[in-house]
Every structure is written in structure tokens, then in C-alpha cells.
Amino acid sequence: MAWVKDWLKSNQGQSRQALARSVCEAFDLKDARGQLRTGGALKALRVLEARGYWRLPKGQGPHQKSGQWRPRRLGRAVAEPCNVPARAEQVEGLRLVEVRPEDDPLVRTWNELVETEHPLHDSRMVGRQLRYLIGSEHGWLGAVGFGSCALRLADRDAWIGWDEPMRRQFQDRVLDMRRFLIRPSVRCENLASRVLSMVTERVGVDFERRYGFEPWLLESFVNTEAYEGTCYQAANWLCVGESLGRGRNGPVEPTVPRKDIYVYELNRRWRQQMGIVPKSEQIAPLSLEESLRSQEWVEAEFGDADLGHQDATQRLVRIAQAKAHNPSAPYTECLAGDRHELKAYYRFINKKHERMTPVGILSGHRRRTIRRIKGQRRVLAVQDTTDLDFSERLHCNDLGDIGKNQTGAVSQGLKMHSLLPLSEAGLPLGVLGTNIYASHFDSDDKAQNRPIEEKESYRWLRTIDELAEVSEWAPQTELIAVGDRESDLFELFDYRRRKARHIHLLVRARYDRCLEDEPRKLFARLESLPVMAEATINIPRQREKEGKPTQPGRIALPERRANKRCVATTA
């Protein structure tokens, strides 16, 4: 500080940029490429000026006027693209064009697009930056911009697992996609997700070339009041939580809308390079016998639930204890007529709190379930959808369609897609998660041309993400996702291949699919395999449902056929 004050006295009339360069040269402040860190020095000088240590010369940069920063702009609107096709794969010459600071026409075009067409109308970013224009033979389709990450995000920081010293050391490895624009006039299906995939393939190389070190993570934010984040999900970004609406520097009170936080891993080994203890070493396996041996097993399963308040967690434990004594009875009967406990129960289920969700209620139990999974050599993760019928509850709102009765009338209720892990012996290990939603038969979600992320069937793909996360805690356990005919989706097979090859699939075949390097289709191939085992299963009578006639009881004779490349059971 004394050096800076001496410089200001002896260099009157010089710019603050000249001061920043002199500071960097005097104290050897250089980045990973050996270049002077003038940007960081300028920021530090301005912070100390605001604290009253000195008065800096007025800014004399080409983009400043009367003390205010002004972006370089075209001075006219960017030409609208012509004849943009309806789907991304039909776009001719789709490419990312890096915007370098010295390329004035591209800089002006990028600034003009963001200032006029992006919802924030602000082209200024902070820290180390990368900018791209989305180009094509049809014209400019949009813009992308990266800058420094948010300093603090509770949900993101918890997902990363770093402490404060580690955050200060490695936060430069996280890039924030601060601007993402597909021009409002462009109506092109899947374009946004295609651009996101192109960006994730390129940004790491471009950033390392420009700044001399490799970024490990990307982050971005989705304002859920205006957008659903479907394009991020389609491009394999992961939603890790929600911001608190405090902006980048984190003031006490919210100043911007709360947004979903999405991240993308550019380097799969980033936790090891940070020195974070792997998840697999953070928990110990838990046997089934040990889980049930304790008299306080309900407290162990639900006592760590994160519901935002300890009283709510203790109420959850008491509810679980009452249900454990009589699982099939309604809750009013479980309480044996205790009206005070019943009133407390209704207060609990009516409580409106951001953490009072199925995920929050199961959070403690889910952690114990993962510990039990870690103690197994192989686990079957069985998933299916249950209908919750509320047709006779006349005052229930926001219900969906769950089926039709014999007369064709639509029943109202909710659907619950559950994931139940089982040991090889068939013993339940717990509940990993439930996805509860309202379904609508007349919606456009079932249209063939809609992305899988916008359909109900996307719930089968979410299971792969769930099991991939579990495998981080239990890497030695073989996880097998099990589904019925409804899960026979090409998108499911492709998603597992791209996202988590170590997660296995066991699916009841519905379609006679083509096979790789095999002239015959699936069913013909299965018929040609040798019979390895046979069994007899008694199937009870099935009642009429959704127009299907009643089926009498019958006997199934399944056969197991297998060779080195294919295993199947047919009946």
C-alpha cells in the first residue's frame, strides 16, 4: 500500500491501467501463462479506493464515459437469420465462433445481441471470460458467454463438498455460463440442447489455451418462473439445488429471483484433484441385521431427515413409530384415538416449508439405504409406477389422470414412481426415492415428436442418474436397474450407454429390436439360444382393467436361455 501511494504521488496524470501494470510488475503478479494479472490488480485497487486508502485516476478506457462502463456495440440491430429449419439436425453449418477481444466486429455483434435480445440486457461479465456466437448458414442464431463462478452457493458448495479454504483455492476452476441466448425469433427444436453439447466439448480447450489452466466444472442458472431447464437436462447437465437469490457476491437479503443450479463436469477426476475425500470413503457399509437389531431403529432411519426444523424431524419419527406397529392400518387407527397426536399429524402434513417434501422426508432413510447397498455384492434396483386414487376426494386439487374404469370414466389421482433396491436374496434394503406427479392423458407430452425430457417416460431415465450417484458411495456394488415393458425405451438404453455404462439394465422386452452384428431380430435370437433352466409359476386371476377382459388364473412355464452374449427369460 505504501508502494502504491508513492507511485500515485510520482506519476500524476497516469491512468489506473498503468498503475495496475506497474503493481503486477513490481510484485510479480502473473497468471498461469506468465501474463500480468492486471484485471485482478485493478479490482483490488478499486476495493481499497472504496475503503478510503487512496483516490485513483479516472478511468480512461475506450469503453468508459463519465465514469460509466459502455460496451462496444454495432449501433444497429443484428440481422435476423433466414429460413431456419424446424429441427436442430437440419441447421446448415451450425458452429460456435469464439469472440476474441481483438476481433472488434464480433465483439460488437455479441454485445448487440445480448444487450437487445437477452432477458438481462447486460453484456458485462466478470473475471476470466469466454464468449461465443452461435453461427450458421442462416445467420447468427444466438450467443453464449462464460465468466467467473458465483462466490458462494449453499447447494452447489454442499454438492462439491469443499470447505472455505478449498473454495478460495479452486473456485477459478469453476466457470459460470453467465449468458445463454437463443434468439427469440429462432424456433428450432432441440437447438438449445445441441448448442449446450457443443459448448461443453469445446470450452475447456479454449479456456486452457487462453488462460493457461484447465477448468473442471461449469455452472449455470435457470429461472424456473420462465423456463423449465429441459435443454440442460437433455445435454446431461445436473441440477444440484437452488440459489437463494442473493446475486454473485451474496448480500444478506435476496435481490434476484431464486434459480435452479445446473452443473456439468468437464473433468471426471476433479474431486480427486481438489483433494476431496471420495464419497465411498465417507460412509461405512451397514448390514440388514445391524439395521434392525436396535430398538431405536425408527430413530436411526428417520432421525436425520432434513426438514428444516428439529421439531418436524421428531414428529416424523413419532409418525413412523406409530405406523411401524400397524403398517396396514390408517393413521387414525395407529394412534388409538389420541386426538392430540392426530391433530399434530395433520399439522405436519399440512406444513408448508421448502424442505417438507418427499425427498426431505426420505433423506435420512435414503442415507441408511445407501449404506445397506454398500454392504451388498449385487443389488437389484426395481422401479415401477403406482397409482394413488383420489377420485372420491372431491376437494383435492391439481390431480391427474390415473386410468379408466369399466365404463370408460377417468379416475383422478397421482402417480408415484418408486425405486426399491433389493438384495440378491430378494430382501428390501430401503427406498431410494419416489417421484410423485400428476399425469394428464390429453396433454401433448405423449406426442412422438417431443423430446424424451418432456415426456412422462423420462422417469425411467432419471433412475440411471439416481443409481449413478449411489455408485459413487458404493463403487464395489453391482447395480442393476430393473423395469417392466414400459421401460423398453431406446432412449433409456442410449442414456445409460452415454451416462453410466457401469449401471446394468434388466428390462422386460416389448419391441422386437434389431441387434448389432446379427441378421436376426431380438425375439428370433432368443428362440435360438439353448434352454438353461425351466420353472413353473402360478399366476392368479386378473380382474378387468381399462377395457381389458378378465383373465382367469393360469400357469406360466418360463425358460431361461443364455449364451456368452445374451441372457433372457421367456415364457
Side-chain angles (χ1 to χ4, degrees):
M1 292 173 65
W3 187 96
V4 171
K5 291 178 180 179
D6 291 340
W7 190 96
L8 289 171
K9 289 180 181 179
S10 57
N11 292 275
Q12 295 184 7
Q14 292 289 328
S15 67
R16 60 177 65 185
Q17 286 80 13
L19 170 59
R21 285 193 298 271
S22 299
V23 168
C24 292
E25 292 170 352
F27 296 98
D28 196 28
L29 303 179
K30 297 180 181 180
D31 60 19
R33 297 179 303 162
Q35 297 186 357
L36 301 179
R37 301 185 62 179
T38 54
L42 272 173
K43 179 179 179 180
L45 290 167
R46 289 195 298 268
V47 169
L48 293 172
E49 180 186 35
R51 296 179 182 176
Y53 288 100
W54 46 60
R55 187 173 183 82
L56 298 175
K58 290 185 178 180
Q60 298 176 0
H63 318 308
Q64 290 181 332
K65 182 177 179 181
S66 302
Q68 297 295 323
W69 179 84
R70 295 288 186 268
R72 288 178 281 173
R73 296 178 60 176
L74 286 176
R76 64 181 187 280
V78 178
E80 293 290 344
C82 300
N83 303 319
V84 179
R87 296 185 62 84
E89 58 266 25
Q90 299 169 343
V91 176
E92 297 181 9
L94 181 63
R95 62 191 181 275
L96 292 176
V97 179
E98 185 179 356
V99 179
R100 300 174 182 271
E102 63 273 13
D103 196 335
D104 190 68
L106 292 181
V107 171
R108 292 180 182 274
T109 301
W110 194 96
N111 288 341
E112 191 69 35
L113 281 176
V114 175
E115 289 282 341
T116 57
E117 300 186 25
H118 192 277
L120 296 179
H121 303 293
D122 184 4
S123 60
R124 190 173 192 180
M125 298 191 297
V126 297
R128 298 180 179 90
Q129 302 171 19
L130 277 179
R131 304 176 192 230
Y132 299 97
L133 285 168
I134 306 171
S136 72
E137 299 301 321
H138 312 279
W140 298 118
L141 304 180
V144 183
F146 289 90
S148 296
C149 70
L151 296 181
R152 291 175 179 82
L153 285 170
D155 288 350
R156 179 206 63 187
D157 295 343
W159 178 80
I160 290 177
W162 57 14
D163 53 21
E164 186 62 19
M166 192 178 293
R167 182 194 66 79
R168 289 196 298 266
Q169 181 180 358
F170 293 111
Q171 67 182 17
D172 288 343
R173 300 282 186 166
V174 183
L175 300 185
D176 186 354
M177 193 168 71
R178 306 190 70 84
R179 300 292 182 268
F180 181 36
L181 169 68
I182 300 294
R183 302 182 69 178
S185 61
V186 175
R187 294 289 185 268
C188 182
E189 190 173 353
N190 299 331
L191 177 61
S193 58
R194 176 67 64 86
V195 170
L196 284 173
S197 297
M198 295 169 61
V199 165
T200 55
E201 292 176 359
R202 179 169 173 179
V203 66
V205 176
D206 291 343
F207 187 90
E208 186 171 10
R209 172 180 45 77
R210 180 178 294 189
Y211 294 106
F213 63 94
E214 175 194 15
W216 293 338
L217 290 173
L218 303 180
E219 70 180 19
S220 189
F221 300 87
V222 174
N223 183 355
T224 54
E225 296 178 359
Y227 307 100
E228 296 182 0
T230 304
C231 63
Y232 287 90
Q233 299 167 16
N236 298 328
W237 289 58
L238 176 66
C239 183
V240 297
E242 187 181 44
S243 70
L244 298 179
R246 296 177 179 175
R248 181 175 185 271
N249 294 309
V252 176
E253 296 298 329
T255 58
V256 296
R258 298 173 68 122
K259 301 175 182 178
D260 282 349
I261 307 168
Y262 281 84
V263 298
Y264 186 90
E265 296 177 317
L266 295 176
N267 183 336
R268 298 293 181 182
R269 302 180 68 250
W270 60 271
R271 278 197 173 92
Q272 296 179 20
Q273 294 178 283
M274 281 188 186
I276 297 176
V277 177
K279 290 182 177 180
S280 60
E281 299 179 10
Q282 296 178 20
I283 62 172
L286 182 66
S287 67
L288 284 170
E289 295 79 4
E290 185 181 353
S291 297
L292 300 177
R293 185 180 299 128
S294 172
Q295 295 297 321
E296 304 297 330
W297 68 270
V298 174
E299 176 73 29
E301 293 292 321
F302 297 99
D304 291 334
D306 186 9
L307 300 179
H309 197 281
Q310 187 61 30
D311 289 347
T313 302
Q314 291 304 314
R315 175 55 56 186
L316 172 64
V317 171
R318 288 195 288 272
I319 291 172
Q321 287 172 337
K323 288 294 291 181
H325 290 300
N326 198 349
S328 61
Y331 194 69
T332 52
E333 183 178 334
C334 294
L335 294 177
D338 190 329
R339 63 186 184 90
H340 299 292
E341 286 291 314
L342 184 61
K343 187 173 182 179
Y345 166 73
Y346 285 124
R347 282 200 304 267
F348 175 85
I349 63 176
N350 288 325
K351 187 175 181 64
K352 295 184 187 230
H353 190 279
E354 60 183 6
R355 298 184 184 177
M356 188 66 70
T357 63
V359 174
I361 290 173
L362 285 175
S363 58
H365 170 70
R366 182 178 181 276
R367 287 190 286 270
R368 298 268 294 184
T369 299
I370 293 175
R371 290 183 60 191
R372 285 188 284 269
I373 289 175
K374 189 174 182 180
Q376 302 292 318
R377 184 176 69 91
R378 181 180 292 116
V379 167
L380 301 175
V382 181
Q383 55 179 327
D384 205 353
T385 306
T386 302
D387 294 336
L388 308 177
D389 192 352
F390 296 115
S391 298
E392 298 182 1
R393 308 291 183 179
L394 301 181
H395 299 290
C396 286
N397 299 322
D398 301 323
L399 298 178
D401 308 323
I402 61 171
K404 298 180 181 179
N405 58 22
Q406 293 86 342
T407 65
V410 177
S411 299
Q412 295 289 298
L414 299 172
K415 289 183 175 291
M416 180 176 68
H417 192 75
S418 304
L419 183 58
L420 178 70
L422 306 174
S423 70
E424 287 188 271
L427 293 175
L429 304 176
V431 177
L432 277 176
T434 57
N435 177 24
I436 302 174
Y437 62 96
S439 175
H440 301 283
F441 292 158
D442 297 330
S443 70
D444 295 332
D445 290 348
K446 299 181 182 295
Q448 294 295 321
N449 60 348
R450 296 187 69 83
I452 185 68
E453 293 79 15
E454 299 180 12
K455 297 181 181 180
E456 286 186 29
S457 51
Y458 188 65
R459 64 187 185 273
W460 301 98
L461 278 66
R462 288 183 182 276
T463 300
I464 302 300
D465 292 332
E466 182 82 20
L467 294 179
E469 181 186 353
V470 171
S471 68
E472 296 180 10
W473 298 95
Q476 303 303 320
T477 302
E478 182 183 3
L479 299 175
I480 304 174
V482 182
D484 59 12
R485 289 182 179 181
E486 194 176 357
S487 66
D488 185 2
L489 304 167
F490 171 78
E491 292 87 349
L492 175 63
F493 305 139
D494 180 62
Y495 192 76
R496 186 209 69 89
R497 176 186 59 82
R498 291 185 290 109
K499 290 279 290 181
R501 288 178 177 268
H502 58 290
I503 305 298
H504 304 287
L505 285 178
L506 177 58
V507 174
R508 186 178 184 186
R510 181 179 183 182
Y511 301 105
D512 194 10
R513 299 186 179 276
C514 297
L515 302 178
E516 184 180 15
D517 301 328
E518 172 65 50
R520 292 168 295 184
K521 288 192 174 182
L522 175 63
F523 295 159
R525 171 65 172 164
L526 296 180
E527 288 292 337
S528 68
L529 296 177
V531 176
M532 307 298 293
E534 296 178 332
T536 300
I537 300 177
N538 292 315
I539 301 179
R541 173 182 176 274
Q542 293 178 300
R543 63 181 179 83
E544 180 180 353
K545 183 179 180 182
E546 296 186 11
K548 297 180 181 179
T550 301
Q551 296 188 20
R554 59 198 188 279
I555 296 177
L557 302 173
E559 297 176 344
R560 177 180 171 85
R561 300 171 180 263
N563 66 6
K564 292 183 179 180
R565 296 187 56 193
C566 188
V567 177
T569 299
T570 59

